[in-house]
Amino acid sequence: MKIADRCVVSIHYTLTNSRGDTLDSSRGSNPLTYLHGFGALIPGLERELVGMVAGDTCQVRVEPVDGYGERNAELVQDVPLAALANIEGLEVGMQLQSRSPTGQVQTLVVEAIGDDSATLNANHPLAGEVLHFDVRIEQVRAATEEEIAHGHVH
Ligand code: ZN
């Protein structure tokens, strides 16, 4: 069966960045199983899998616009260290949770610490990255009516 909307698809994948660093991989554990056509994968990957069948392999290059977006400079802010005084062991690379003005929880990464301020980045960690997926299709089946109604795999 070919991958199309309303299919349940299992894939093994390895994700690398342009420098060849492995960022994520399903290999060595369970394949990723998702409902195709419901936005479960980033658009640039999901689109390329259409029409493939179990056993097929492919390499997909995803530009930031079809992945996690471009890095937005407005999401990088300098915050006075005094405002972060209650955070223990503040260091570069640390992830902080904060609530945005609209009430959403954001993850901020500490990018730099200066004498009196720290640079916090609220972009997705993969924003601005060109992503390289190495994919093998493991299984494709029709979704059940219940799965389609729920929008996820059972
Ligand atoms: Zn359900």
Side-chain angles (χ1 to χ4, degrees):
M1 156 164 219
K2 288 185 176 178
I3 296 177
D5 286 355
R6 302 177 162 216
C7 283
V8 172
V9 182
S10 295
I11 62 172
H12 269 303
Y13 70 93
T14 298
L15 168 61
T16 52
N17 64 17
S18 292
R19 293 178 296 282
D21 305 322
T22 298
L23 303 174
D24 192 14
S25 180
S26 67
R27 291 182 166 102
S29 60
N30 291 330
L32 171 69
T33 298
Y34 74 96
L35 182 57
H36 193 92
F38 287 75
L41 303 186
I42 57 172
L45 177 58
E46 195 161 317
R47 196 167 60 216
E48 293 299 317
L49 301 182
V50 172
M52 302 197 119
V53 298
D56 282 353
T57 58
C58 64
Q59 291 186 334
V60 180
R61 176 193 159 101
V62 178
E63 299 295 328
V65 66
D66 282 330
Y68 293 98
E70 298 288 355
R71 184 181 159 102
N72 179 353
E74 286 178 15
L75 296 178
V76 181
Q77 289 185 316
D78 284 332
V79 175
L81 287 181
L84 303 169
N86 60 344
I87 295 164
E88 250 177 77
L90 189 72
E91 61 181 4
V92 172
M94 195 175 198
Q95 297 193 351
L96 310 175
Q97 305 280 329
S98 86
R99 212 165 267 282
S100 75
T102 54
Q104 287 168 311
V105 175
Q106 296 184 299
T107 300
L108 304 162
V109 175
V110 180
E111 285 207 326
I113 301 175
D115 287 339
D116 45 28
S117 69
T119 305
L120 303 184
N121 179 5
N123 283 285
H124 188 282
L126 295 179
E129 294 265 18
V130 175
L131 307 173
H132 300 265
F133 289 92
D134 181 36
V135 179
R136 184 176 193 278
I137 313 301
E138 300 296 324
Q139 197 183 51
V140 185
R141 66 164 171 86
T144 64
E145 288 302 321
E146 196 184 19
E147 286 171 325
I148 292 164
H150 288 196
H152 58 235
V153 175
H154 285 167

